[in-house]
Amino acid sequence: MRKIGERIKSLRRSRHLTQQQLAEKLGIDQGAVSRWERCHITPSAVYRKALEEVLDAPLMEMNCSLLESVNKDLHFSLLLDANLCVLAASEITLAVNGCRNRNELVGQCYTPILDKPWQRLYQWLKESGTFADGINWAKITMPTPTLHSGYRWMDSLWIPFRLDSGELAYRISCRMLESAPSESLGRAILEVDNKQRELLIPVQEHKVYNPQQQPSFKHKTWSHAV
């Protein structure tokens, strides 16, 4: 499996740059570049964009048909990597996130804006194997973060895909809920290694947008999402 760090190293060498020269172009320490290339850490969304500009190439070797399918989806659909960085997004997804164009959302990362319930959920997903090879699917009903429009109650279905680079990505199909569940509990169900696991999360502290204020669009059935 080709990691992002290996991709950075390959692109840097092809541009005849040393680690120090690349670091200087990015305004960072050479040690950070070294840790990226050894896969000890992953560059943030900001530095991913900067790297792609300096190296003049995408860091993720994308599956073009998958990317195009997500971008042209007429429903709420996006493609995330294991760090919750956006790789592709449909027009509806852009609108719900309060973005005027795709460049405002693609390359951004949701992890910095996760509240405590979502931080707990994200940790549980990682510990349960969601970001490993064994996952079949995950379904989440939670107040879900958007980039500029706060949290909104959504059902989301996560399906894993393998990119051309070997990295795992997750196509997420969502539908807005007309109202919050009466018990005010978030729910996550996943199937990993052919076994289902479930987590309930109290979300009473959420200040969620009024469903009447949410933009309306045709709901997508799970059969179409898969």
Side-chain angles (χ1 to χ4, degrees):
M1 181 187 301
R2 189 171 186 181
K3 302 288 188 180
I4 289 181
E6 296 173 3
R7 173 79 168 160
I8 294 172
K9 184 177 182 179
S10 174
L11 289 172
R12 174 180 63 76
R13 287 181 169 178
S14 70
R15 271 59 174 175
H16 306 290
L17 295 172
T18 65
Q19 288 185 347
Q20 183 62 42
Q21 289 171 328
L22 178 57
E24 289 174 357
K25 289 179 179 292
L26 297 170
I28 59 174
D29 185 82
Q30 178 267 336
V33 176
S34 175
R35 290 192 292 274
W36 289 341
E37 293 187 354
R38 288 180 290 163
C39 302
H40 290 176
I41 58 174
T42 301
S44 67
V46 172
Y47 282 114
R48 286 190 188 205
K49 278 191 171 182
L51 281 162
E52 289 179 343
E53 291 176 2
V54 171
L55 298 173
D56 193 28
L59 292 187
M60 302 290 286
E61 298 172 89
M62 299 296 295
N63 181 315
C64 292
S65 60
L66 174 60
L67 185 68
E68 184 176 2
S69 173
V70 173
N71 285 337
K72 292 185 176 181
D73 198 320
L74 298 179
H75 304 88
F76 191 120
S77 180
L78 72 164
L79 191 68
L80 298 181
D81 67 10
N83 297 308
L84 304 188
C85 289
V86 181
L87 305 176
S90 67
E91 293 291 337
I92 287 291
T93 305
L94 299 180
V96 172
N97 276 270
C99 297
R100 292 167 295 181
N101 57 65
R102 191 161 278 110
N103 289 336
E104 288 187 29
L105 184 59
V106 174
Q108 297 296 326
C109 189
Y110 282 109
T111 49
I113 61 174
L114 297 183
D115 63 357
K116 289 184 178 179
W118 256 97
Q119 289 173 10
R120 179 187 172 193
L121 172 60
Y122 184 47
Q123 184 62 34
W124 179 78
L125 290 172
K126 290 192 290 186
E127 293 173 351
S128 299
T130 301
F131 305 112
D133 294 344
I135 181 179
N136 296 322
W137 54 265
K139 181 180 178 183
I140 299 170
T141 303
M142 284 276 288
T144 300
T146 64
L147 195 61
H148 300 305
S149 304
Y151 279 72
R152 302 179 180 224
W153 273 99
M154 299 184 196
D155 271 338
S156 59
L157 179 67
W158 296 40
I159 301 295
F161 285 87
R162 183 75 65 183
L163 301 180
D164 291 344
S165 63
E167 299 276 348
L168 277 171
Y170 305 85
R171 182 168 187 165
I172 302 175
S173 301
C174 301
R175 64 182 180 91
M176 312 282 275
L177 298 184
E178 298 295 338
S179 60
S182 57
E183 66 271 21
S184 294
L185 286 174
R187 181 187 303 268
I189 305 173
L190 62 83
E191 183 175 286
V192 59
D193 295 329
N194 297 317
K195 296 181 181 178
Q196 290 191 16
R197 303 176 186 178
E198 182 177 14
L199 177 69
L200 298 177
I201 305 174
V203 292
Q204 291 91 335
E205 297 179 1
H206 268 292
K207 182 178 180 181
V208 183
Y209 271 60
N210 187 324
Q212 301 302 319
Q213 299 174 341
Q214 297 176 354
S216 60
F217 53 88
K218 185 178 179 182
H219 284 180
K220 187 175 185 180
T221 63
W222 297 126
S223 60
H224 291 150
V226 177

